[in-house]
Amino acid sequence: MKSEDTPFEGGPMDGRVLPVLVGMTGHPPKTYRIPVPDPDGGPPTVLVYRREPRDARGGLRFARWKYTYDPSGQKGSGRRWPWSKPERPAAADPDATPPGKPDDADG
């Protein structure tokens, strides 16, 4: 497998550069999770880093991505297809009459 030296920004990994495996397209994963063991034997803490485009001017020429720390650690919303409709809030009363007169063409 091929790897790419990728810089990390923010959080405990700030300033470090790690080799990250890239996929068939040459891109590293969108999220990088680092489990940190608890010294007391409890469940590990997971550090979450998100992939972002890197400034092309500085550093290594082939490294096109960087990881930035995501303190919330929430999972991404997944794939966003262009034909998918965005979620809209539900109407308060679906049987309510819309505003305007029934014969009014302008609403």
Side-chain angles (χ1 to χ4, degrees):
M1 300 265 342
K2 187 176 179 183
S3 65
E4 181 177 295
D5 288 337
T6 309
F8 286 75
E9 292 183 355
M13 300 291 291
D14 189 29
R16 295 187 187 190
V17 178
L18 297 177
V20 177
L21 293 176
V22 295
M24 292 176 58
T25 60
H27 299 287
K30 290 184 180 180
T31 58
Y32 195 85
R33 300 178 189 282
I34 304 170
V36 178
D38 189 318
D40 298 330
T45 303
V46 178
L47 304 175
V48 179
Y49 285 84
R50 305 258 180 228
R51 182 184 75 183
E52 290 184 359
R54 186 174 171 201
D55 186 20
R57 290 179 281 153
L60 302 172
R61 194 171 149 212
F62 62 87
R64 299 172 307 218
W65 302 100
K66 66 179 177 181
Y67 282 105
T68 56
Y69 181 62
D70 182 8
S72 66
Q74 295 178 357
K75 196 168 189 168
S77 62
R79 293 188 174 146
R80 294 186 186 152
W81 301 104
W83 55 84
S84 299
K85 294 181 180 177
E87 292 185 27
R88 292 185 288 167
D93 185 10
D95 297 328
T97 306
K101 297 179 184 174
D103 295 331
D104 189 8
D106 296 327

